[in-house]
Amino acid sequence: MVTYLNQRQLQYAVMLSETGSFSHLAEKLNISQPALSKHILSLEKELGVQLFDRTETPLKTTAAGEHFVKEAKKLLDRENRLLHSMEQFRSGEKGLLTIGTTPFRSAYLIPSVVKRVREKFPGVRVRLVEQGSEQLRKDAADGKFDFAVINMPVDEAVLDAAPIEPDKLAIVYSRELAAVAPGLEDESAVDFSQCEKLPFVVLGANQEMRNLFEKLCASADIYPQIAVEAVNMTTAWEMACSGVGATLLPLQFVNSAMTDGKLIVKRLRDDVQLRQPAVVTKRGEYISPYARYAISLLIGEKG
């Protein structure tokens, strides 16, 4: 019973069927004729059939040999195509890039990166996994992403982290609410305490932006009115656009979402409350060329 056919055996049998001569093929392969004959005899013995009729000149394949050569060519072709496709994956021509990110960063930070990755590696498919920060930390540590964008701190015993541009916080509210908090019109940056009279749209309890909001309130010693508690930043943004209330958002998100002048944007002066996001990868894991390129774009490397 044949247990294994190696590539060399297949190649030699195919080439011998084409040249019809042990001596000519041996010369072409730069090996001795006895060595070539030994390879073919060993193959025939392993298969239990004769592949070549040695009584004819030039050499002819037997019926079994003709079938073997036909199928061997298919196997060699499939192997070559497989190796070529693997080389495409190795070089980054093909592949799957899995990125973990929060929904709001997926909306403003990731699109331009994905566009440039697809321009450089058109054969690469991108899969975005949008989750909350805590789940992202867990899944990144489990190696479920090529990389993730997560707010610091992270477990640097398990994850390698490369900081990117910090989130600058801004208060966003509609122009119809401007009369509620007079005195802010001429200032591009404000103290959070100046926003006490504005009704606020906040995120749900235990979310990072809600925690930041509460820290700002405590630091400014104010008790603003909460008009709406929303599930995510996109909803909070839409509520602010509708004039329901002001909301606290990263300035980068606001700048990417602004399409007209209907909203008032005030950057906070309190830089202590900035969030520090980072691109994280599982320590020791392989990083593909296209993932490395995407990471370089996020952390601002040239090229």
Side-chain angles (χ1 to χ4, degrees), residues 73-88 94:
K73 286 180 178 179
K74 293 179 183 178
L75 286 173
L76 289 170
D77 180 60
R78 288 174 62 186
E79 182 177 21
N80 287 334
R81 284 189 282 116
L82 174 61
L83 292 175
H84 178 66
S85 66
M86 290 300 100
E87 172 59 24
Q88 288 180 310
K94 288 185 177 180

Side-chain angles (χ1 to χ4, degrees), residues 102 104-105 108 133 137 150-153 164-169 203 207-213 233 248-253 270-278:
T102 56
F104 96 91
R105 284 207 177 96
Y108 87 86
S133 295
R137 289 185 178 92
I150 308 174
N151 292 323
M152 297 291 282
I164 61 177
E165 182 186 7
D167 287 335
K168 298 177 177 66
L169 299 182
L203 299 189
Q207 293 194 51
E208 287 183 329
M209 287 301 295
R210 176 63 176 272
N211 292 338
L212 280 173
F213 175 82
M233 290 189 190
L248 179 70
L249 292 171
L251 185 60
Q252 293 92 326
F253 174 84
D270 190 356
D271 287 345
V272 176
Q273 301 297 340
L274 297 186
R275 301 193 308 172
Q276 178 58 67

Side-chain angles (χ1 to χ4, degrees), residues 171 173 178 181-191 194-195 198 264 266:
I171 301 296
Y173 56 97
L184 301 183
E185 295 86 353
D186 299 328
E187 300 183 66
S188 59
V190 299
D191 295 322
Q194 295 175 265
C195 306
L198 288 169
I264 295 173
K266 299 296 181 182

Side-chain angles (χ1 to χ4, degrees), residues 71-261:
E71 296 302 318
K73 286 180 178 179
K74 293 179 183 178
L75 286 173
L76 289 170
D77 180 60
R78 288 174 62 186
E79 182 177 21
N80 287 334
R81 284 189 282 116
L82 174 61
L83 292 175
H84 178 66
S85 66
M86 290 300 100
E87 172 59 24
Q88 288 180 310
F89 279 100
R90 187 196 68 77
S91 66
E93 293 178 55
K94 288 185 177 180
L96 172 65
L97 175 60
T98 303
I99 303 172
T101 179
T102 56
F104 96 91
R105 284 207 177 96
S106 181
Y108 87 86
L109 181 65
I110 302 300
S112 61
V113 172
V114 170
K115 182 176 185 294
R116 291 183 63 180
V117 168
R118 291 275 300 141
E119 289 172 346
K120 188 176 180 67
F121 302 99
V124 170
R125 180 165 57 93
V126 179
R127 182 167 67 97
L128 297 180
V129 180
E130 299 177 334
Q131 298 174 330
S133 295
E134 288 308 312
Q135 189 63 44
L136 284 174
R137 289 185 178 92
K138 180 180 183 300
D139 287 351
D142 289 340
K144 293 185 178 180
F145 314 121
D146 286 279
F147 67 84
V149 181
I150 308 174
N151 292 323
M152 297 291 282
V154 298
D155 185 357
E156 296 189 59
V158 179
L159 298 170
D160 289 321
I164 61 177
E165 182 186 7
D167 287 335
K168 298 177 177 66
L169 299 182
I171 301 296
V172 182
Y173 56 97
S174 65
R175 294 194 175 278
E176 61 192 270
L177 287 179
V180 177
L184 301 183
E185 295 86 353
D186 299 328
E187 300 183 66
S188 59
V190 299
D191 295 322
F192 192 66
S193 59
Q194 295 175 265
C195 306
E196 182 175 18
K197 294 182 179 180
L198 288 169
F200 270 89
V201 179
V202 299
L203 299 189
N206 299 321
Q207 293 194 51
E208 287 183 329
M209 287 301 295
R210 176 63 176 272
N211 292 338
L212 280 173
F213 175 82
E214 292 178 351
K215 287 179 181 178
L216 284 167
C217 291
S219 178
D221 193 24
I222 63 173
Y223 300 89
Q225 171 196 350
I226 294 178
V228 176
E229 185 173 277
V231 175
N232 56 57
M233 290 189 190
T234 304
T235 303
W237 165 259
E238 293 297 335
M239 290 286 180
C241 290
S242 298
V244 173
T247 192
L248 179 70
L249 292 171
L251 185 60
Q252 293 92 326
F253 174 84
V254 174
N255 289 339
S256 70
M258 286 284 282
T259 57
D260 52 42

Side-chain angles (χ1 to χ4, degrees), residues 8-69:
R8 179 182 293 180
Q9 288 176 315
L10 299 177
Q11 288 175 330
Y12 284 1
V14 170
M15 294 174 74
L16 185 58
S17 73
E18 294 170 346
T19 60
S21 168
F22 276 100
S23 60
H24 290 165
L25 180 56
E27 183 178 356
K28 183 176 182 179
L29 294 172
N30 197 29
I31 62 175
S32 69
Q33 184 174 330
L36 176 59
S37 297
K38 185 177 180 181
H39 278 294
I40 298 299
L41 284 170
S42 175
L43 175 60
E44 290 177 323
K45 183 178 180 181
E46 190 171 0
L47 294 171
V49 296
Q50 186 176 344
L51 300 177
F52 297 94
D53 183 353
R54 294 164 175 78
T55 64
E56 294 195 38
T57 303
L59 202 67
K60 299 292 184 182
T61 55
T62 63
E66 185 176 348
H67 177 75
F68 180 86
V69 168

